[in-house]
Amino acid sequence: MIRPLSRTALALDIVGASLLFALFLPMSLVFYSPGQLSTTVAEPVAVAAVVIAAVLQFGAVAVGRLAPGIALSVAWLGAIVQLLAGLGPLPINVAILGVLYATAAWGSTRIFWAGLGSAVIGGIIAALQIVFVNGMAGVFGIITTAVALTVVSVLTLGAPWLGGFGWRMVLRWRATRDAQARAEVAAAEEQERVRIARDMHDVVAHSLAVIIAQSDGARYAAASSPQIAAETLGTVAQTARAALTDVRMLLTQLRHRQGVGPQPTIADLEQLFEQVRQAGLEARVTVDPMPPGEPPGAVQLAVYRILQEALTNAIRHGSGDTVDVRLAWMPDSVRIEVRNRVGDAAAAPAGAGGHGIVGMRERAQLIGGVLRAERDGEEFVVHARLPIGEPFHTGPAGAAVGGTASGEETA
């Protein structure tokens, strides 16, 4: 019944209605003498009826935006007082136009249609009131005049209702546009959160897996070979520093809300494989055929991150001491395959679709590729196919994995 409305807007509506009341009430009393217009009551009663009707109708205008339903009811009450006094249309009835506009612009669905019905019914009543007050002679004259006046009255009352309907459509369009803008912002923020979470998982999970493996090795080697333990701890420190640098870069991107900053490429794969070897897992890498040039940056980043996560899973869940990595750089795509042995207990978390598997799939899907991660007998296998799109830029061959030749296995 009552809409939220600021005090300033309500004060402006009350002041505007008061000014209209002060303008149209004297006009109704001076230029349209109630004593002459009314045939049913005495002049003092008619004057009182005009004043009461004006108060009610302009009061309805004052609360039109705040409570359109209440305003329509009060305006009808004022019109009934005017009809009971035998008065025809007066200048004060301009307030009814404002109330009908309010019902169409700000009323609920029920009030919206009630305003339209009021315009039609009010137009008919006004026309009949004019006909009978003026005492038209002849049935034909009464009917003709009543029809004409009904059409004019309904159009007069319907015009502000249509204006309010137009403003209602404008408000609805604005609300829809704002909701769409908020949804787009929320979707962009969600995508940014997912991207940062994916990058954070790739960096932190891999680095922690290497650190844990190295720390366990250092603990066992400390008793028999302190020198090896010291070298292992140095590797741990180096890996931790690299992870800290990557995390700081991600936080900088989050703070500035943009994806600037260096990203890993296939030239960094040899360093990734070396970290895996230092963690105690022998990476046997085969690249055949080699990339004929420089692949797009997005493809290089996806290849690096997918291999990083697949090797991290091999470190955490693998049961063997080797992992096979195969890269095939075709003219239109690159194929990735990572195989490692797993035990019965280790296969479940790796293949259950955790954050790592989901992250790898998202990496592939972002550039239009596909990825499948599944158990194959005693091995867990990650297959990926990433489209390259446009032809490679001419560049030095062999830059992908530190100069490894085509078809060569590194131990």
Side-chain angles (χ1 to χ4, degrees):
M1 294 295 294
I2 298 179
R3 299 176 57 252
L5 190 65
S6 66
R7 293 183 178 180
T8 301
L10 180 58
L12 290 176
D13 289 348
I14 294 174
V15 171
S18 300
L19 293 176
L20 292 175
F21 175 82
L23 174 64
F24 287 103
L25 179 60
M27 292 175 57
S28 300
L29 294 175
V30 174
F31 297 102
Y32 299 86
S33 174
Q36 296 177 1
L37 292 179
S38 178
T39 59
T40 59
V41 297
E43 182 172 354
V45 177
V47 171
V50 172
V51 173
I52 294 174
V55 170
L56 292 173
Q57 292 175 15
F58 285 108
V61 173
V63 297
R65 279 198 294 177
L66 180 66
I70 296 176
L72 183 62
S73 301
V74 173
W76 263 111
L77 182 59
I80 291 173
V81 170
Q82 188 173 338
L83 290 173
L84 293 177
L87 299 171
L90 294 171
I92 60 172
N93 297 138
V94 72
I96 296 177
L97 305 182
V99 173
L100 292 175
Y101 178 92
T103 60
W106 301 291
S108 63
T109 302
R110 183 178 299 177
I111 301 303
F112 173 81
W113 292 112
L116 177 60
S118 297
V120 175
I121 296 174
I124 296 173
I125 294 175
L128 295 177
Q129 178 76 356
I130 293 174
V131 169
F132 287 107
V133 167
N134 292 335
M136 296 291 179
V139 176
F140 180 77
I142 292 176
I143 295 176
T144 304
T145 305
V147 171
L149 289 175
T150 298
V151 173
V152 173
S153 299
V154 170
L155 291 178
T156 302
L157 295 176
W161 185 89
L162 289 176
F165 175 73
W167 182 245
R168 187 189 191 93
M169 293 299 99
V170 171
L171 294 178
R172 183 169 296 180
W173 172 77
R174 288 180 179 177
T176 302
R177 182 192 60 184
D178 293 342
Q180 181 179 0
R182 289 193 298 270
E184 291 175 354
V185 170
E189 290 178 349
E190 181 64 23
Q191 291 178 357
E192 185 70 5
R193 283 194 294 268
V194 170
R195 183 190 69 82
I196 293 172
R198 184 171 56 241
D199 289 346
M200 189 71 73
H201 177 275
D202 292 344
V203 171
V204 175
H206 172 75
S207 300
L208 288 180
V210 173
I211 290 172
I212 291 171
Q214 289 287 331
S215 299
D216 290 341
R219 184 178 60 185
Y220 294 126
S224 59
S225 180
Q227 181 179 359
I228 295 179
E231 293 176 355
T232 304
L233 291 176
T235 302
V236 170
Q238 180 181 1
T239 303
R241 291 191 186 96
L244 180 61
T245 300
D246 290 338
V247 170
R248 284 175 174 171
M249 182 184 69
L250 291 174
L251 293 178
T252 299
Q253 295 176 10
L254 176 61
R255 184 178 299 112
H256 296 288
R257 298 183 59 82
Q258 55 186 3
V260 297
Q263 296 287 351
T265 64
I266 57 176
D268 300 311
L269 287 177
E270 187 57 43
Q271 181 180 358
L272 175 65
F273 298 145
E274 184 61 30
Q275 290 178 350
V276 173
R277 297 186 186 104
Q278 292 175 354
L281 187 63
E282 196 64 38
R284 299 184 297 191
V285 184
T286 302
V287 183
D288 185 20
M290 294 287 292
E294 186 74 14
V299 175
Q300 296 190 52
L301 177 61
V303 170
Y304 183 93
R305 292 304 190 194
I306 289 174
L307 287 175
Q308 184 183 47
E309 179 57 34
L311 293 172
T312 299
N313 286 340
I315 294 173
R316 296 173 59 189
H317 307 300
S319 61
D321 56 0
T322 61
V323 57
D324 292 317
V325 178
R326 296 180 182 273
L327 283 172
W329 293 91
M330 303 300 179
D332 60 342
S333 64
V334 55
R335 293 180 173 86
I336 304 172
E337 180 182 282
V338 180
R339 289 178 174 268
N340 64 279
R341 293 178 60 86
V342 292
D344 293 338
H355 294 296
I357 302 298
V358 172
M360 288 192 291
R361 287 199 182 100
E362 289 178 346
R363 289 282 182 190
Q365 293 170 358
L366 282 175
I367 60 173
V370 293
L371 183 140
R372 187 176 72 256
E374 59 189 3
R375 180 164 180 166
D376 183 11
E378 296 183 351
E379 294 182 324
F380 189 78
V381 186
V382 175
H383 294 280
R385 181 183 180 277
L386 309 178
I388 293 174
E390 298 187 8
F392 290 176
H393 300 293
T394 303
V401 288
T404 304
S406 173
E408 180 183 353
E409 279 195 7
T410 62

